[in-house]
Amino acid sequence: GTVNTLALPFTLTVLGASETVYGVLEGLSGVGYAAGGFALAALSHRLSERRWLALGTLGLGLAALLYALSDAVPLALAAFALVGLFNAPAAVAIRTLFQRGTPAPLRGRVIGAYFVGVEGALVIG
């Protein structure tokens, strides 16, 4: 949640860039997510869902750190693309684990509670 909240002020003040650059950053995150989804579709058989979740979460953290340490727009753009890239395997893996590990009659409640927790954490962040 903090990355989402602070990305615009960081882009404007630290990077000295414009709102347009911020829009490009957000767009590159979506492009990275799409690329991550395609890569996951091609490579999903190589790792278990738990490993994809670990890889995605670790990659997300490192990409966010790279963004936070960036002092130039090109580095920030690359970091945001990586955020999207690693978000895809993390998001797909967690949903797959929920679907496979939760009995069908409870699935809606369990996944709903998960999303309430995630969205609540985003607000707190």
Side-chain angles (χ1 to χ4, degrees), residues 13 19 21 28 32 35 47 53 56-57 59 64 70 73 84 99 101 109 122:
T13 58
E19 290 87 353
V21 171
L28 280 175
L47 297 174
L53 178 58
T57 303
S70 62
V73 171
Q99 289 174 2
R109 286 181 236 161
L122 285 172

Side-chain angles (χ1 to χ4, degrees), residues 37-73:
F38 285 122
L40 183 62
L43 303 171
S44 63
H45 64 282
R46 294 184 181 223
L47 297 174
S48 70
E49 291 85 6
R50 292 176 193 264
R51 290 185 188 251
W52 281 115
L53 178 58
L55 177 69
T57 303
L58 178 64
L60 273 169
L62 292 174
L65 181 62
L66 179 64
Y67 175 70
L69 296 174
S70 62
D71 58 357
V73 171

Side-chain angles (χ1 to χ4, degrees), residues 95-112:
R95 285 164 182 81
T96 302
L97 287 168
F98 271 126
Q99 289 174 2
R100 289 185 179 163
T102 306
L106 299 176
R107 197 170 294 141
R109 286 181 236 161
V110 170
I111 293 173

Side-chain angles (χ1 to χ4, degrees), residues 10-48:
F10 182 85
T11 301
L12 297 175
T13 58
V14 175
L15 297 177
S18 66
E19 290 87 353
T20 302
V21 171
Y22 171 73
V24 172
L25 282 169
E26 289 292 340
L28 280 175
S29 178
V31 170
Y33 193 92
F38 285 122
L40 183 62
L43 303 171
S44 63
H45 64 282
R46 294 184 181 223
L47 297 174
S48 70

